[in-house]
Amino acid sequence: MLSAELHPPERLEAAQRATAGVGLDALLITPGSDLRYLTGYDAHALERLTCLVVPARGEPTLIVPTLERPAAEVATRGLRIVDHRDGQDPYPLVVAALDGPPSVVALGDRMWAAHVLGLRAALPGTEQRLAGDVLAELRMRKSPAEVEALRQAGAAIDAVHARMGEWLRPGRTERQVGVDIAEAILAAGHATVDFVIVASGPNGASPHHETADRVIREGEPVVVDIGGTMPSGYCSDSTRTYVVGRPPADVVDFYAVLRAAQRAAVDAVRPGVTCEQVDATARDLIAAAGFGAAFLHRTGHGIGLDGHEEPYIVAGNDRPLEPGMAFSIEPGIYLAGHAGARIEDIVVCAGGGADVLNTTTTELAEL
């Protein structure tokens, strides 16, 4: 997929309008997903300053170390670039790009503290806010090119789940299975492996368990939550629950509750429905079956250039869904000391409801 489709130049113009609209003088963005979103540049986060200066009015400027300039020029064709050599104080270059002392600027949410303090010293008296308050609103609604990138990521991680029978066997450890899965994530087209959770038996009751030396046993559920980042920068994330052999009756029963709740939440997705209403759809069904206390987390999180971003599908979030919003639907039931299960699909809110990007079965898979 062409970078121009995923990172159109009008994004910087939209960011400038949004910056002016909330009374900010500029955005100051260091390496990370916000910089990649605005420019297509996947820069290294270093002690050397890389900073995109986006004034509310005027020409944006990218400040980069001299040794990073060639890469920046290739990634950001046409963007004004100013470089600094080792030993040179780069923060005055940011001030110069602002064309006058600002009253208030917004910094990238994940900017290193060293750069925050450097900018504070270079801009005394300037109020600092979070750029996420501006950029999250832009990033939340995915373009058709972004949805396609997420669809490709979904297909890549589905291909890994489709091979799970090759690796999940009694007598193997979670860690051994995790190594196989990580290799398969890369083989399926991801640029990086972001996480591999293989949680068998009682470990499945810990939602963020990763892997351990526990031996997988026949008849117990295994929660497999995996994801990576594609060359496009867009992320995958999908969870399925497996059983090696035949599952016990109690697992079949609580999994049926979970699957009904996950399907109901997916069906609830449409423009105008609030994030908390989708969360409640899953949560109320699980609670009615007596497992309310065992659903330990929100129903979902946004996804794009970050694995977790806005919008969050959680109680208290009254934001109405809009077309283009992409997020997970992933209720879980976690029974401490016994077992757990989770089902996760990435969906995009569309005019007719949920566009589900993961297509592997959500049935309790018996391997």
Side-chain angles (χ1 to χ4, degrees), residues 249-335:
D250 66 319
V251 171
V252 172
D253 290 345
F254 82 72
Y255 190 86
V257 172
L258 176 64
R259 188 169 185 237
Q262 201 265 350
R263 293 178 68 179
V266 170
D267 290 343
V269 172
R270 61 183 182 277
V273 173
T274 66
C275 293
E276 64 182 358
Q277 285 175 322
V278 177
D279 178 86
T281 298
R283 197 166 302 279
D284 290 351
L285 282 172
I286 291 172
F291 297 105
F295 184 5
L296 305 176
H297 52 73
R298 63 198 172 204
T299 294
H301 57 81
I303 190 169
L305 287 168
D306 285 316
H308 286 195
E309 59 184 51
E310 298 282 356
Y312 293 99
I313 311 303
V314 65
N317 186 358
D318 61 0
R319 177 184 290 276
L321 296 177
E322 299 176 42
M325 290 183 173
F327 47 88
S328 65
I329 299 291
E330 52 174 307
I333 294 176
Y334 309 98
L335 305 176

Side-chain angles (χ1 to χ4, degrees), residues 9-363:
E10 55 265 27
R11 278 204 185 143
L12 277 171
E13 298 171 6
Q16 288 185 287
R17 290 192 298 271
T19 299
V22 296
L24 294 167
D25 294 311
L27 304 178
L28 305 179
I29 308 299
T30 47
S33 57
D34 284 337
L35 180 62
R36 190 166 188 178
Y37 175 81
L38 291 171
T39 68
Y41 182 29
D42 186 20
H44 297 294
L46 302 168
E47 74 282 0
R48 300 178 174 100
L49 179 69
T50 292
C51 183
L52 176 66
V53 181
V54 185
R57 296 169 186 82
E59 184 181 10
T61 302
L62 182 63
I63 312 296
V64 299
T66 300
L67 74 167
E68 299 292 338
R69 181 166 188 142
E73 288 176 338
V74 169
T76 63
R77 299 183 186 278
L79 183 64
R80 179 174 182 259
I81 296 176
V82 175
D83 62 81
H84 58 91
R85 295 185 177 277
D86 284 355
Q88 178 185 358
D89 183 358
Y91 300 105
L93 299 178
V94 175
V95 177
L98 289 168
D99 193 26
S103 297
V104 55
V105 298
L107 310 182
D109 289 17
R110 300 177 187 178
M111 183 182 290
W112 286 11
H115 296 318
V116 173
L117 296 178
L119 291 167
R120 184 175 297 172
L123 295 166
T126 298
E127 181 183 350
Q128 294 179 335
R129 297 182 187 170
L130 290 175
D133 294 339
V134 174
L135 294 179
E137 290 296 323
L138 301 179
R139 291 179 54 178
M140 206 178 306
R141 301 161 190 84
K142 269 56 180 181
S143 69
E146 289 181 284
V147 172
E148 179 58 27
L150 286 169
R151 193 181 309 279
Q152 292 176 7
I157 209 66
D158 282 353
V160 181
H161 274 294
R163 297 180 59 192
M164 208 57 60
E166 298 177 29
W167 312 307
L168 273 179
R169 296 190 298 275
R172 302 197 76 204
T173 68
E174 296 172 350
R175 202 178 313 278
Q176 288 171 328
V177 173
V179 169
D180 290 333
I181 291 173
E183 292 176 353
I185 289 174
L186 296 176
H190 293 81
T192 63
V193 178
D194 293 344
F195 56 90
V196 175
I197 293 174
V198 181
S200 62
N203 287 343
S206 174
H208 279 176
H209 175 82
E210 292 183 356
T211 62
D213 290 324
R214 185 181 188 277
V215 174
I216 296 167
R217 301 171 185 171
E218 186 168 354
E220 61 185 15
V222 183
V223 180
V224 177
D225 183 358
I226 53 177
T229 300
M230 298 291 283
S232 65
Y234 286 78
C235 299
S236 67
D237 187 359
S238 179
T239 310
R240 294 294 184 260
T241 302
Y242 301 89
V243 175
V244 181
R246 295 188 60 83
D250 66 319
V251 171
V252 172
D253 290 345
F254 82 72
Y255 190 86
V257 172
L258 176 64
R259 188 169 185 237
Q262 201 265 350
R263 293 178 68 179
V266 170
D267 290 343
V269 172
R270 61 183 182 277
V273 173
T274 66
C275 293
E276 64 182 358
Q277 285 175 322
V278 177
D279 178 86
T281 298
R283 197 166 302 279
D284 290 351
L285 282 172
I286 291 172
F291 297 105
F295 184 5
L296 305 176
H297 52 73
R298 63 198 172 204
T299 294
H301 57 81
I303 190 169
L305 287 168
D306 285 316
H308 286 195
E309 59 184 51
E310 298 282 356
Y312 293 99
I313 311 303
V314 65
N317 186 358
D318 61 0
R319 177 184 290 276
L321 296 177
E322 299 176 42
M325 290 183 173
F327 47 88
S328 65
I329 299 291
E330 52 174 307
I333 294 176
Y334 309 98
L335 305 176
H338 178 49
R342 181 163 64 255
I343 305 169
E344 177 182 19
D345 288 319
I346 301 301
V347 307
V348 178
C349 181
D355 179 5
V356 183
L357 304 187
N358 297 107
T359 60
T360 58
T361 180
T362 60
E363 294 179 0

